[in-house]
């Protein structure tokens, strides 16, 4: 067999703890146990966003608050999906001093990953952040 040369990539590898992760929210700290022969599938989307590397302290704090509120907002609606082995992750990364982005990852058994990823991505996109009354001053 012919060995393929590995090309460097700015997209963060794999899941869970990755160097360069600025903030993360989701369920990837939970382990999914395979059910019989049903394969687990992971879908990852990389959304470049250079503004993350240039963000002020105030913007970074706002991003962290958004991710924490996202975690709280999606816990209840996706509780049943989590019990069924479905997981999601939303993370901001800096891959170099000049490159950054957001990674969306979804993991589920092969028969449900497409519907779960669609539902979770829609919920993430519709999340506006914490309500003003939820913020402590």
């Amino acid at each position: 067999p012919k060995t393929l040369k590995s090309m460097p990539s700015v997209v963060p590898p794999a899941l869970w703890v990755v160097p360069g992760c600025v903030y993360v929210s989701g369920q990837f700290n939970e382990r999914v146990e395979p059910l019989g022969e049903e394969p687990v599938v992971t879908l990852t989307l990389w959304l470049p966003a250079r503004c993350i590397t240039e963000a002020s302290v105030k913007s970074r704090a706002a991003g962290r608050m958004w991710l924490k509120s996202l975690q709280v907002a999606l816990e209840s609606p996706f509780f049943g999906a989590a019990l069924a082995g479905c997981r999601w992750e939303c993370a901001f990364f800096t891959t170099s001093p000049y490159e950054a982005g957001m990674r969306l990852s979804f993991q589920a058994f092969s028969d449900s990953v497409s519907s779960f990823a669609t539902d979770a991505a829609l919920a993430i996109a519709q999340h506006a952040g914490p309500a003003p009354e939820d913020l402590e001053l």
Side-chain angles (χ1 to χ4, degrees):
K2 183 178 177 183
T3 305
L4 296 177
K5 185 175 157 184
S6 156
M7 298 300 290
S9 174
V10 296
V11 177
L15 301 172
W16 300 282
V17 179
V18 177
C21 184
V22 181
Y23 302 120
V24 65
S25 189
Q27 301 166 311
F28 273 87
N29 59 340
E30 301 165 12
R31 183 180 166 98
V32 173
E33 294 293 336
L35 298 174
E37 298 298 315
E38 188 69 27
V40 175
V41 177
T42 302
L43 171 65
T44 301
L45 305 173
W46 174 249
L47 307 170
R50 187 171 180 185
C51 62
I52 293 171
T53 61
E54 302 163 354
S56 66
V57 172
K58 184 177 179 179
S59 293
R60 286 181 183 255
R64 179 68 177 140
M65 291 178 67
W66 182 83
L67 279 176
K68 291 304 280 181
S69 68
L70 177 68
Q71 178 78 36
V72 171
L74 297 187
E75 280 178 353
S76 180
F78 289 105
F79 179 74
L83 293 177
C86 299
R87 303 187 301 173
W88 63 274
E89 179 194 67
C90 180
F92 296 127
F93 282 89
T94 56
T95 54
S96 79
Y98 309 104
E99 302 263 346
M102 182 171 76
R103 183 180 69 199
L104 295 177
S105 294
F106 310 98
Q107 190 174 66
F109 294 103
S110 61
D111 63 343
S112 60
V113 72
S114 62
S115 61
F116 171 69
T118 301
D119 293 345
L122 183 60
I124 291 168
Q126 291 176 341
H127 182 67
E133 60 270 11
D134 294 337
L135 301 175
E136 294 181 22
L137 298 175

